[in-house]
Amino acid sequence: MSIIADTTHRRTMMSAGLCLALLVVSSLAIGVEDLSFSGADGAMPAGDLLAISRLPRTLAALLCGAGLAVAGQIMQTLTRNRFVEPSTSGTAQSAALGILIVTLFLPAAGLGVKALVASGCALAGTALFLATAHRLPPEQPHLVPLFGLVYGGVVGAAVTYVAWQNDLLQYLEIWTNGEFSGVLKGRYELLFVAVVIVAAAILIADRLTIMTLGEQQSTSLGIDYRRMTQIGLVLISVMSALSVVVVGLIPFVGLVVPNLVSRILGDNLRGTLPLLALGGAILVLGSDIAGRLIRFPYEIPVGTVMGVIGPAVFLWFILKGRRDA
């Protein structure tokens, strides 16, 4: 049985790697400007265009996708519920609140300060969500995602109201609808923290797997449940905040990818987390490419594309879960 599982894992990783490579090449090649020119007639040389715009955009999509998929898996582990992820449980909305606070009181602050404050607000918002979610009856698992949607909606409405009061509604669109068209060299490097977050998640993968058994069983097996919950909260909050600060809110990545991967390879996070990161990168980069092509030469934000894909998959998971039950 393990031989079959190892073969499936290996083939899935190879297929995902090949798909990602093709998407990267496509992302670098697709754009309004043609890469075949050599800088004649005042046009930007192809090398400069790649270095300044297309390569940063591609890397930003890869890093966001990988980090958000892993953050979604960690949140599902902490809540023991497959129907939640940062953008549907108030984490991303809390991060947007943090950015709004910085904009109002420290308008000249850079991305680093915004990311720090957004991370703190995301941490507080996620901790409140988890504290409430753990009080919901476990025999009704669908209450957790429904509460998350309501909770995130309330936080998002508060952010919108404050932005409206301060004439910042157009500015708010940058944070609430993720898109990569504005990603340039010098404006995305904070996202490399996603590599650290993914690496940290892989490092504690075995403990996260045990935590899916619940607090009592995890503690009996030697896991410091409280400490691991705190670490998970930090990883989720920082990744969500960085994504919102740099490219805006990209929904449903942390919901779709972990569920698909778990159906293929099971719940052993030691083996599935690398594929989770690959899957998230593929989904976000593929959605970004689709957004560039649907109305070429105009663009549809990746947040809008995922806003169409995500709810459809979300409903499919819920309905399939009811049929299986």
Side-chain angles (χ1 to χ4, degrees):
M1 193 71 178
S2 61
I3 296 177
I4 296 176
D6 290 342
T7 302
T8 302
H9 183 273
R10 192 181 307 110
R11 289 179 177 176
T12 305
M13 288 289 291
M14 290 178 62
S15 299
L18 178 59
C19 180
L20 185 61
L22 292 175
L23 287 175
V24 168
V25 174
S26 300
S27 178
L28 295 176
I30 295 172
V32 178
E33 294 287 348
D34 190 357
L35 289 177
S36 62
F37 56 77
S38 58
D41 300 326
M44 182 181 294
D48 292 343
L49 181 62
L50 286 171
I52 295 173
S53 177
R54 294 195 188 173
L55 182 60
R57 178 173 186 156
T58 301
L59 289 175
L62 296 177
L63 293 169
C64 272
L68 290 175
V70 171
Q73 178 62 69
I74 296 173
M75 176 162 279
Q76 291 175 17
T77 298
L78 297 183
T79 59
R80 299 178 65 195
N81 192 295
R82 293 194 179 279
F83 301 137
V84 296
E85 66 110 21
S87 72
T88 62
S89 54
T91 302
Q93 292 82 359
S94 299
L97 177 61
I99 302 173
L100 183 60
I101 292 172
V102 175
T103 303
L104 291 174
F105 296 101
L106 295 171
L111 287 179
V113 175
K114 290 180 180 178
L116 184 62
V117 177
S119 297
C121 289
L123 181 61
T126 308
L128 179 59
F129 166 75
L130 286 178
T132 307
H134 285 160
R135 296 177 179 270
L136 298 175
E139 65 273 8
Q140 300 183 42
H142 293 153
L143 286 180
V144 176
L146 290 176
F147 168 71
L149 291 171
V150 173
Y151 174 69
V154 170
V155 177
V159 173
T160 301
Y161 176 76
V162 175
W164 175 68
Q165 288 288 330
N166 292 275
D167 197 22
L168 290 172
L169 281 179
Q170 289 185 330
Y171 194 44
L172 182 64
E173 288 293 324
I174 300 174
W175 315 324
T176 56
N177 194 12
E179 54 96 18
F180 293 98
S181 62
V183 174
L184 299 171
K185 182 179 180 181
R187 282 192 52 83
Y188 79 102
E189 284 78 4
L190 279 175
L191 289 175
F192 279 105
V193 175
V195 177
V196 178
I197 291 173
V198 173
I202 293 175
L203 186 64
I204 62 174
D206 292 335
R207 298 177 186 180
L208 289 173
T209 302
I210 294 175
M211 288 177 68
T212 59
L213 300 175
E215 181 175 1
Q216 184 175 357
Q217 290 85 347
S218 300
T219 303
S220 66
L221 291 172
I223 300 297
D224 189 337
Y225 193 87
R226 185 181 298 273
R227 177 67 60 83
M228 291 303 302
T229 299
Q230 293 171 347
I231 293 174
L233 280 172
V234 171
L235 296 179
I236 294 168
S237 303
V238 172
M239 186 62 238
S240 300
L242 289 176
S243 173
V244 173
V245 167
V246 178
V247 300
L249 194 155
I250 303 177
F252 297 107
V253 179
L255 172 70
V256 173
V257 178
N259 278 280
L260 289 177
V261 171
S262 68
R263 289 178 183 274
I264 298 173
L265 297 176
D267 297 321
N268 184 358
L269 298 184
R270 173 66 63 182
T272 60
L273 277 177
L275 185 59
L276 270 171
L278 277 175
I282 289 171
L283 180 60
V284 173
L285 184 57
S287 298
D288 181 47
I289 292 173
R292 284 185 254 174
L293 292 176
I294 291 173
R295 296 189 62 204
F296 187 86
Y298 305 103
E299 292 190 17
I300 299 175
V302 66
T304 302
V305 177
M306 284 302 305
V308 174
I309 297 173
V313 178
F314 180 78
L315 291 174
W316 179 76
F317 282 137
I318 292 180
L319 294 175
K320 190 175 189 306
R322 284 185 175 180
R323 288 196 301 268
D324 293 342

